[in-house]
Amino acid sequence: MRKEALTWDDVDKLIDHLIPQFETEFDSMLMVTHGGIVPGGILSEALKINDIFIASVDFPAEFEAEKQREKTRLLAWPKFLQFPEGDLMRGRRVLVVDDVWGSGRTMTAVRNRIMGQAGSAATCVLHFNPYRSLFGSLRPDYYAAITDAHIIYPWEIKRGPEAVLLRDF
């Protein structure tokens, strides 16, 4: 799979492309960990959204063999490790933010859970990969770019004492 590494300037351009797309105002935002934290923070500031929530979703595997595990992960029900209580979503217009829509399972699961809690949800990502999506013609409500690449965002670079010591400044 082709890989593409982005700079912070690339991310700024993607955010600038997203902002004019919003047709409605949102009274809250739900950021999906880990990828949605940075773009969600930038968007919440730009859109003046003050009520921020976090969702952490996992699709557990049941088998140990690698090929079987990946196949099982595609069929697994999501496990919500962290999600706002139902009364916090009720009646809200929620913007759900993540970095990329690959298979679409995470964003679809989060959107459906919000709707099940009597909220309305719109999905937003920096990149949409229609070639990996498991949901046919379903796509994010808002996205900045279409890709077929594995995107490496600037916040995904290796950090920590060892990585910092190896960098040229």
Side-chain angles (χ1 to χ4, degrees):
M1 175 180 275
R2 184 172 67 84
K3 292 183 179 183
E4 185 177 337
L6 300 185
T7 66
W8 286 107
D9 285 339
D10 295 330
V11 172
D12 284 341
K13 289 175 186 167
L14 293 167
I15 297 289
D16 289 344
H17 186 74
L18 272 173
I19 291 172
Q21 293 182 40
F22 297 109
E23 310 154 344
T24 185
E25 290 186 15
F26 299 96
D27 48 34
S28 57
M29 178 182 289
L30 189 142
M31 297 183 280
V32 178
T33 63
H34 289 281
I37 300 292
V38 173
I42 297 168
L43 284 169
S44 69
E45 182 67 25
L47 300 174
K48 308 283 188 254
I49 300 173
N50 294 322
D51 292 347
I52 308 296
F53 302 101
I54 302 292
S56 180
V57 185
D58 184 35
F59 289 88
E62 295 175 9
F63 300 100
E64 291 303 317
E66 189 63 35
K67 286 184 181 181
Q68 187 63 38
R69 181 170 51 230
E70 187 58 32
K71 182 178 177 183
T72 303
R73 285 179 58 83
L74 290 175
L75 301 174
W77 286 99
K79 179 179 180 183
F80 291 94
L81 305 174
Q82 182 177 358
F83 205 87
E85 294 296 324
D87 59 334
L88 292 173
M89 296 289 100
R90 188 171 295 111
R92 288 190 181 263
R93 295 178 315 262
V94 183
L95 181 62
V96 180
V97 180
D98 205 352
D99 54 359
V100 65
W101 175 301
S103 69
R105 294 181 315 139
T106 299
M107 291 296 272
T108 302
V110 169
R111 181 181 57 83
N112 290 345
R113 182 151 178 184
I114 292 169
M115 293 170 60
Q117 295 174 333
S120 66
T123 55
C124 174
V125 294
L126 296 179
H127 287 93
F128 169 50
N129 187 335
Y131 312 103
R132 287 192 55 225
S133 182
L134 299 174
F135 294 92
S137 62
L138 184 64
R139 50 185 41 209
D141 297 302
Y142 306 100
Y143 55 94
I146 293 176
T147 189
D148 64 349
H150 172 83
I151 304 295
I152 302 164
Y153 295 97
W155 54 88
E156 294 177 320
I157 64 169
K158 189 171 178 96
R159 304 247 186 236
E162 300 82 22
V164 172
L165 293 174
L166 295 175
R167 283 194 206 137
D168 293 331
F169 288 98

